[in-house]
Amino acid sequence: MARVSLVVHGRGRGHASRAVACARALRDAGHALHVFAGGDAEHVLKDMYEVTSVPIVRPGLGAVSGWLGRLASDADRFAAAAPECVVSDGDQPSLVVARRRKVGSVAIDHGLALTHSRLPIRPPAAMRLYERLNNAPLALADRLVAVHFLPFEVTDPRVAVARPDLRDDLRGPVAREGFLLAYFRDDNGRDALALALAAGARVVCFGERDPQLPGLVFHRSGRAGFADHLRRCDGVITSAGSNVLAECVMLRKPALALYKRGDAEQALNARLAEHAGVALARSFEDLRPGDIADFLARVRGGEFAAPDLVTAMPPVSEVVVSAVAALLV
């Protein structure tokens, strides 16, 4: 087998969650794995693997200096690791170093679904342009893995489509116990929760307790508790993030997918989920009592069509292992 360097972008925990599954699969395939990560990813991965810390290149005015610093320091890091293949989850400077060293590389990113696809709903032009500019270094990779919660057609033969791996804590029994689960990325779901309670729904919300909603059951945010409730709920009221929608689809839980006006990415996620028949899409600003009633009626009537995502799309970890094997032939 080969020496593989897995480099994980450290802003947010989405990249780290994917990297946990990919690291395990690469190890199971027999590769000698060296993990590079910073920020949130380093915190998640360091208890499972030996991790070399790398600075995060953040978007904004500091991106240029961050890039220059990483390109200089990565040369030394990679010289010591001597990888035969580089796998990058959201980390761009490592792909430049891999190209310079003439080492095969695999890039993993959910943004590829916007730039290398034929989606049933076309993303806004400004959104596509931003993603192409922001993720231009991904084109340096020999193989690309586009992560999404629904299947789609690609426009580049180097791209493979994958779903997120189902986390271990989501693999338990799945049931319907008569309540809705709520989660909002920005703790901005008060109006939606109030409407759901007024419609007679039992709602369990993960986030900060709101004293103005006394009928609501609150839990502090926590992965294990959220996973347990997700397996047992009838449906989910949530911000339209790609990770949570993927988990809803994989567990066949219908979603009321909400987004803020002006959030083009979450608006697209919500509309794609609605188009596929797995969710009802609404903006926070436009949500009305009738929407809640419609969602509840369709949940209770079993009207949401949940595609079998487990068989329709392979998991990221499986696709990455195959991509690495193809590069090492």
Side-chain angles (χ1 to χ4, degrees):
M1 293 289 103
R3 296 183 302 277
V4 177
S5 289
L6 174 62
V7 193
V8 189
H9 183 53
R11 186 174 179 232
R13 291 183 173 256
H15 298 285
S17 297
R18 286 199 297 259
V20 169
C22 289
R24 180 189 302 164
L26 289 166
R27 278 276 179 85
D28 290 346
H31 297 297
L33 187 66
H34 194 140
V35 179
F36 297 84
D40 294 323
E42 182 179 1
H43 293 307
V44 170
L45 292 162
K46 68 180 181 180
D47 292 335
M48 293 170 279
Y49 302 96
E50 182 178 348
V51 176
T52 297
S53 181
V54 294
I56 304 172
V57 178
R58 300 180 182 276
L61 297 177
V64 174
S65 61
W67 262 87
L68 293 175
R70 278 289 307 277
L71 291 177
S73 59
D74 276 5
D76 294 334
R77 294 189 188 96
F78 279 86
E84 297 169 82
C85 185
V86 172
V87 177
S88 163
D89 192 320
D91 184 83
Q92 299 179 358
S94 57
L95 296 172
V96 177
V97 176
R99 176 56 64 92
R100 286 179 175 176
R101 294 178 60 86
K102 298 182 179 178
V103 173
S105 59
V106 180
I108 310 166
D109 200 88
H110 62 276
L112 293 165
L114 302 176
T115 58
H116 293 71
S117 69
R118 293 189 181 93
L119 295 171
I121 297 175
R122 189 171 176 81
M127 185 179 183
R128 296 197 311 274
L129 177 61
Y130 171 81
E131 289 293 336
R132 285 196 176 278
L133 294 174
N134 188 51
N135 292 322
L138 299 183
L140 296 172
D142 299 290
R143 297 286 191 278
L144 301 98
V145 181
V147 185
H148 206 254
F149 57 89
L150 294 169
F152 60 85
E153 183 182 354
V154 299
T155 57
D156 185 329
R158 296 177 301 157
V159 179
V161 181
R163 61 170 172 83
D165 285 76
L166 189 64
R167 301 196 326 252
D168 290 343
D169 54 9
L170 289 173
R171 295 182 183 276
V174 177
R176 289 169 56 95
E177 298 186 4
F179 69 91
L180 299 179
L181 177 61
Y183 165 75
F184 305 99
R185 180 190 64 184
D186 303 318
D187 286 322
N188 60 341
R190 175 188 292 174
D191 291 345
L193 293 170
L195 290 175
L197 292 172
R202 290 175 51 210
V203 185
V204 177
C205 180
F206 275 72
E208 294 297 320
R209 182 174 299 276
D210 190 332
Q212 297 186 33
L213 297 172
L216 203 62
V217 177
F218 279 96
H219 285 271
R220 288 284 183 182
S221 295
R223 287 168 62 91
F226 183 84
D228 174 61
H229 283 80
L230 182 57
R231 287 188 283 104
R232 296 188 290 112
C233 71
D234 290 5
V236 182
I237 304 175
T238 182
S239 306
S242 59
N243 283 344
V244 68
L245 288 178
E247 291 171 351
C248 290
V249 172
M250 285 189 284
L251 294 183
R252 296 178 177 270
K253 302 294 184 178
L256 175 56
L258 302 173
Y259 56 92
K260 292 187 290 188
R261 286 181 191 160
D263 189 331
E265 181 176 347
Q266 290 210 349
L268 179 64
N269 287 342
R271 290 166 183 160
L272 286 169
E274 183 175 76
H275 183 271
V278 300
L280 180 66
R282 292 292 185 273
S283 71
F284 283 102
E285 296 85 354
D286 295 332
L287 187 66
R288 298 291 181 267
D291 300 320
I292 296 289
D294 182 29
F295 178 68
L296 290 172
R298 293 173 65 184
V299 167
R300 292 163 180 160
E303 295 182 24
F304 287 99
D308 193 348
L309 189 64
V310 174
T311 57
M313 299 169 71
V316 172
S317 61
E318 179 183 313
V319 174
V320 167
V321 169
S322 297
V324 169
L327 291 175
L328 295 173
V329 172

